[in-house]
Amino acid sequence: MNPAIASSQVKQWGHRAIITMLGVTAASVALYLAWQGVGYYALPVTERPFHPQHAVLRPAGVLGIRLGVAAAVIFLCLYLYPLRKRVKPLQRIGKTRNWLNFHVLFGLTVPVIVTFHTSLKLRGIAGMAYWIMIAIVLSGIVG
């Protein structure tokens, strides 16, 4: 077997392993957040301030802020893929297919993180931005 082909296959396997681990991690975190917060998220918005986890799970809470920052960072990483097409030094790094895999994974992860960041409060201007984001994600899935 050609050593260059074998090296390419090993790199591709490593990429798939990274994407799989990130996907499993994202899904595990989402399931954990849902499991931990089901009692809080199931309450009407007017009763949530009286829940013991309110200080942690509300959008401005300890976890809520961290989820918002994580979503913003991952959201910015989404733009590396289209930027790669226009910036010459980025074009030399990795394969376009691999960049697309990260773009898709991040594009599916951000709405989940944002949903938990908002504590399922999806009304008003922020709610409108949320639903626009969901429409963009759905168009990406269809496209």
Side-chain angles (χ1 to χ4, degrees), residues 132-143:
I132 290 170
M133 176 185 66
I134 295 298
I136 291 169
V137 169
L138 291 175
S139 73
I141 291 170
V142 171

Side-chain angles (χ1 to χ4, degrees), residues 17-75:
I18 290 169
I19 289 292
T20 302
M21 286 189 310
L22 287 174
V24 168
T25 301
S28 299
V29 168
L31 289 172
Y32 178 77
L33 290 172
W35 178 64
Q36 286 293 313
V38 70
Y40 178 76
Y41 298 130
L43 288 174
V45 176
T46 55
E47 294 179 25
R48 288 183 184 176
F50 307 109
H51 193 276
Q53 291 180 309
H54 180 70
V56 175
L57 296 177
R58 68 189 182 107
V62 176
L63 183 62
I65 292 286
R66 290 182 179 150
L67 289 172
V69 170
V73 169
I74 295 171
F75 189 76

Side-chain angles (χ1 to χ4, degrees), residues 110-116 118 120-137:
V110 166
V112 175
I113 295 172
V114 169
T115 301
F116 285 110
T118 62
L120 304 175
K121 295 180 189 176
L122 307 173
R123 297 178 188 240
I125 294 175
M128 197 178 325
Y130 174 83
W131 291 113
I132 290 170
M133 176 185 66
I134 295 298
I136 291 169
V137 169

Side-chain angles (χ1 to χ4, degrees), residues 15 19-20 22-23 26 74-75 77-82 85 95-113 133 136-143:
H15 171 75
I19 289 292
T20 302
L22 287 174
I74 295 171
F75 189 76
C77 289
L78 280 170
Y79 287 104
L80 289 175
Y81 177 69
K85 293 180 178 181
K95 295 181 179 181
T96 303
R97 179 178 61 217
N98 294 346
W99 283 67
L100 179 62
N101 289 340
F102 280 106
H103 180 78
V104 169
L105 177 66
F106 292 161
L108 294 172
T109 303
V110 166
V112 175
I113 295 172
M133 176 185 66
I136 291 169
V137 169
L138 291 175
S139 73
I141 291 170
V142 171

